[in-house]
């Protein structure tokens, strides 16, 4: 089968949908291709919590948060740690994105019908130094409707464009080659996969039933990263994080396989920073998996005590929600692929949440009553279901009983009751001292100075063994693969660059495939809320640039 279009967009996730919308607005005929069935339209964004990084927003100002582009850029540089010659374009993209987040981003999304939950969350709080990693202030804006709410306007625009013939969407079309003519990209070739009835996110058949070719003077690669490809994750695992754990959970569906990165590289595109990736240390085994090794990220407030596989407290600043990369590296280097949170029921009832649209039906369904009821019993809703049915939770009345249950969930008994008892006694003694020197307790008190944390996120400091706060809870956490921070090297027009630094004519990249801009605008670390935002921003830039090039 052979077709023609003005532009081919490879990947029907958020970045591809935004690029398609921009191309249609410019009058271009678009062929949108994706290897998955229609049920997975929207890609990873559908499963997301819908967090968006914004700077100096009205939501922040209403909560008394003083933010600015200058402060956000300082935080970004301290978090990214750009230190390589190839970081020129990633740094340029990062600066452009921060200005976008502090400028037209919110107004543009509002014009598309996207609205925000009023309480801004404080994600990735950092390592304790003014110029080090982390957000100085809360910037994580949750979309009212979560990931599906972000996708909604672009899905609506796609449907309208399909109806009037401006876009042809071809599902089950797997691109295997970029067509080159005189060094320029002029379309794609690949295989037609067998029809599939797989539900959203579930593995689909890879049986081939035909071939296809689409000719076009421009191709935008927006097909995601490598998060579900365990072999590529291990191959590119960062050396500073030790050895990859023998067992890791997957935070993304099987189709996030990195295939198109190799296809674009074979056509002359350069991949940079492949060892920069973003995985989470707080993965839970999903008791109702949709994809292979399906994990869910536990979103915890700062109060639980975090210990390693042997029950020893993790060092400063490794507290829940503070420094993701430091936590992943410490756990991987420990020689064990898991760690534990130790807390009590009082903390869990207020500080535990789960990432993802399906784990937040109140926010996803825009259910105000449901959101208000979150301050009730922890044994209701998705968190309660995980507490009851999840394999990673232990609930007991005493420390010795808790340790017994923790050791039952590992291949060998690694924790001695005396070790964990000493860690808890030291922490609780610092609480009873009133002032004390425990940095985590100081961090909890500081967090409660922010009204958003005080209202919905962080409990007052108290002893873990307070009998009125029990029973005790332990949660086994595994490394959860998620995002590719490196990717195809692009300039500020989203043109893919070759090894020489010159653009590959006709080839563009957006979203995770482009490292969210430039081949890695996050550097080594992310400030959170920047992945959906990076897809929105790069998709918009790529669509406009490809349209202008064909004018």
């Amino acid at each position: 089968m052979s077709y023609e279009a003005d532009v081919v967009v490879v990947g029907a996730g958020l970045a591809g949908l935004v690029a398609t919308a921009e191309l249609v607005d410019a009058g271009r005929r678009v062929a949108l291709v994706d290897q998955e069935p229609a049920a997975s339209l929207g890609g990873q964004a559908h499963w997301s919590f819908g967090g968006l990084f914004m700077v100096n927003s009205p939501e922040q100002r209403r909560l008394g948060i003083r933010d600015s582009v200058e402060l956000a850029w300082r935080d970004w540089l301290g978090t990214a740690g750009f230190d390589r010659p190839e970081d020129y374009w990633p740094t340029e993209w990062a600066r452009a994105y921060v200005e976008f987040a502090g400028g037209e981003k919110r107004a543009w999304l509002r014009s598309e019908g996207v609205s925000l939950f009023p309480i801004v969350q404080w994600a990735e709080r950092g390592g304790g130094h003014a110029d080090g990693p982390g957000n100085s202030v809360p910037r994580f804006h949750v979309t009212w409707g979560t990931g599906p709410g972000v996708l909604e306007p672009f899905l609506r625009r796609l449907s309208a464009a399909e109806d009037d013939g401006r876009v042809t969407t071809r599902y089950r079309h797997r691109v295997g080659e970029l067509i080159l003519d005189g060094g320029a990209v002029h379309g794609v070739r690949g295989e037609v996969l067998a029809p599939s009835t797989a539900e959203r996110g579930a593995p689909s058949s890879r049986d081939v039933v035909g071939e296809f070719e689409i000719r076009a003077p421009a191709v935008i690669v927006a097909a995601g990263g490598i998060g579900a490809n365990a072999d590529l994750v291990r191959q590119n695992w960062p050396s500073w994080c030790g050895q990859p754990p023998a067992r890791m959970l997957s935070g993304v569906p099987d189709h996030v396989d990195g295939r198109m990165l190799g296809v674009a590289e074979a056509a002359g595109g350069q991949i940079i920073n492949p060892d920069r990736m973003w995985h989470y240390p707080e993965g839970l085994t999903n008791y109702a998996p949709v994809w292979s090794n399906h994990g869910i990220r536990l979103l915890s407030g700062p109060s639980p005590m975090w210990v390693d596989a042997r029950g020893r407290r993790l060092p400063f600043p490794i507290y829940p929600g503070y420094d993701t990369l430091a936590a992943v590296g410490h756990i991987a280097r420990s020689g064990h692929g898991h760690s534990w949170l130790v807390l009590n029921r009082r903390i869990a009832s207020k500080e535990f949440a789960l990432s993802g649209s399906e784990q937040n039906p109140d926010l996803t369904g825009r259910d105000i009553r449901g959101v208000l009821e979150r301050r009730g019993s922890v044994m209701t809703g998705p968190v309660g279901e995980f507490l009851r049915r999840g394999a990673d939770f232990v609930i007991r009345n005493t420390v010795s009983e808790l340790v017994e249950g923790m050791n039952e969930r590992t291949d060998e008994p690694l924790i001695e009751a005396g070790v964990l008892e000493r860690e808890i006694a030291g922490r609780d003694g610092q609480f009873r001292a009133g002032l004390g020197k425990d940095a985590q307790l100081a961090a909890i008190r500081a967090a409660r100075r922010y009204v958003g944390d005080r209202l919905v996120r962080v409990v007052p400091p108290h002893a873990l063994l307070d009998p009125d706060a029990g029973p005790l809870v332990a949660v086994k956490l595994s490394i959860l693969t998620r995002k590719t921070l490196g990717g195809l090297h692009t300039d500020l027009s989203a043109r893919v660059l070759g090894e020489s630094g010159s653009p590959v004519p006709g080839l563009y990249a957006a979203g995770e495939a482009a490292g969210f801009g430039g081949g890695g605008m996050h550097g080594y670390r992310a400030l959170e809320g920047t992945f959906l935002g990076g897809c929105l921003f790069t998709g918009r830039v790529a669509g406009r640039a490809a349209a202008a090039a064909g004018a």
Side-chain angles (χ1 to χ4, degrees):
M1 294 181 288
S2 182
Y3 316 98
E4 290 186 354
D6 295 327
V7 181
V8 177
V9 176
V10 184
L14 179 59
L17 291 170
V18 174
T20 298
E22 293 292 336
L23 288 162
V24 168
D25 284 351
R28 303 294 176 263
R29 295 178 301 115
V30 181
L32 176 61
V33 300
D34 197 286
Q35 68 179 358
E36 294 307 300
S40 287
L41 179 62
Q44 298 176 63
H46 172 86
W47 300 97
S48 75
F49 195 29
L52 296 170
F53 175 92
M54 293 191 192
V55 178
N56 192 27
S57 69
E59 288 76 17
Q60 288 176 298
R61 294 194 294 272
R62 280 194 289 268
L63 293 166
I65 299 167
R66 294 189 291 272
D67 199 8
S68 67
V69 169
E70 292 73 23
L71 179 61
W73 180 234
R74 188 166 186 163
D75 284 350
W76 194 290
L77 288 177
T79 301
F82 295 121
D83 61 358
R84 297 173 176 174
E86 58 267 35
D87 282 334
Y88 173 78
W89 284 115
T91 305
E92 292 292 298
W93 272 96
R95 179 68 196 189
Y97 178 70
V98 170
E99 291 175 352
F100 174 65
E104 64 176 310
K105 179 179 180 180
R106 183 180 181 277
W108 173 60
L109 289 173
R110 282 183 65 85
S111 73
E112 295 286 354
V114 175
S115 57
L116 304 171
F117 187 66
I119 298 180
V120 183
Q121 301 297 310
W122 198 346
E124 204 63 15
R125 300 175 191 230
H129 299 287
D131 289 325
N135 285 294
S136 297
V137 297
R139 297 189 176 106
F140 190 87
H141 297 65
V142 178
T143 302
W144 189 232
T146 65
V150 178
L151 285 166
E152 210 169 68
F154 304 103
L155 293 174
R156 190 165 55 241
R157 291 170 68 177
L158 174 65
S159 179
E162 289 174 328
D163 287 345
D164 62 21
R166 291 174 293 169
V167 175
T168 302
T169 305
R170 300 195 180 279
Y171 302 104
R172 308 298 286 156
H173 280 54
R174 182 175 65 184
V175 174
E177 177 187 0
L178 298 178
I179 300 171
L180 291 172
D181 186 0
V185 172
H186 282 277
V188 299
R189 292 192 186 97
E191 300 164 324
V192 180
L193 303 179
S196 173
T197 58
E199 297 181 358
R200 179 185 292 276
S204 61
S205 163
R206 291 295 179 259
D207 293 339
V208 175
V209 296
E211 297 179 343
F212 74 94
E213 177 179 296
I214 306 176
R215 291 274 177 172
V219 173
I220 299 175
V221 176
I226 67 171
N229 189 326
D231 291 339
L232 285 179
V233 169
R234 294 180 189 283
Q235 177 182 320
N236 293 289
W237 187 263
S239 59
W240 57 91
C241 285
Q243 295 297 312
R247 176 182 178 269
M248 291 185 284
L249 299 174
S250 178
V252 292
D254 294 52
H255 60 76
V256 186
D257 56 13
R259 179 184 177 87
M260 275 306 301
L261 292 172
V263 171
E265 188 176 34
Q270 182 187 30
I271 294 174
I272 61 173
N273 302 315
D275 58 340
R276 292 178 181 169
M277 50 186 77
W278 191 248
H279 306 311
Y280 291 110
E282 313 104 331
L284 302 176
T285 304
N286 194 341
Y287 64 83
V290 176
W291 53 79
S292 303
N293 298 315
H294 190 170
I296 298 292
R297 185 190 179 200
L298 176 66
L299 301 174
S300 175
S303 298
M305 190 174 72
W306 204 341
V307 302
D308 66 16
R310 294 193 175 276
R312 299 167 299 200
R313 197 170 179 187
L314 300 190
F316 171 86
I318 305 177
Y319 313 137
Y322 276 72
D323 192 332
T324 294
L325 187 64
V328 168
H330 183 89
I331 293 163
R333 290 191 299 270
S334 75
H336 300 280
H338 70 277
S339 61
W340 293 89
L341 292 184
V342 177
L343 60 152
N344 55 42
R345 185 187 178 96
R346 181 185 296 168
I347 294 172
S349 67
K350 188 168 186 175
E351 298 200 11
F352 271 10
L354 300 169
S355 183
S357 58
E358 82 284 14
Q359 303 299 334
N360 294 275
D362 47 1
L363 290 165
T364 302
R366 301 181 174 100
D367 178 4
I368 295 175
R369 176 177 292 182
V371 172
L372 294 175
E373 290 174 350
R374 281 194 179 215
R375 299 185 69 183
S377 171
V378 70
M379 296 307 288
T380 63
V383 172
E385 283 298 302
F386 265 86
L387 279 166
R388 285 190 294 273
R389 302 173 62 186
D392 300 317
F393 289 82
V394 182
I395 303 174
R396 299 288 191 274
N397 291 314
T398 68
V399 176
S400 59
E401 291 170 344
L402 191 73
V403 169
E404 182 179 356
M406 294 163 76
N407 283 331
E408 289 172 354
R409 282 159 175 77
T410 54
D411 294 336
E412 57 179 312
L414 296 173
I415 300 177
E416 295 180 9
V419 171
L420 189 58
E421 285 171 348
R422 283 193 296 274
E423 294 285 7
I424 293 174
R427 185 260 186 210
D428 283 2
Q430 288 291 298
F431 164 72
R432 286 190 290 270
L435 296 175
K437 59 185 178 181
D438 189 279
Q440 185 175 6
L441 289 174
I444 295 167
R445 294 186 178 103
R448 284 183 54 81
R449 293 172 56 195
Y450 169 49
V451 64
D453 279 343
R454 191 166 62 250
L455 286 175
V456 302
R457 191 65 174 144
V458 184
V459 299
H462 62 279
L464 290 180
L465 296 184
D466 182 340
D468 294 331
L472 294 171
V473 179
V475 188
K476 183 184 177 186
L477 304 177
S478 300
I479 302 297
L480 179 73
T481 65
R482 186 64 70 86
K483 293 297 179 188
T484 309
L485 295 188
L488 291 166
H489 199 184
T490 59
D491 65 13
L492 279 179
S493 295
R495 298 180 299 178
V496 174
L497 306 177
E499 292 288 341
S500 68
S502 298
V504 178
L507 185 59
Y508 301 80
E512 191 173 353
F516 302 97
M521 76 166 184
H522 293 95
Y524 291 92
R525 288 175 166 91
L527 285 172
E528 292 291 7
T530 55
F531 301 131
L532 290 180
C535 289
L536 290 164
F537 186 51
T538 58
R540 195 171 85 146
V541 170
R544 292 180 178 182

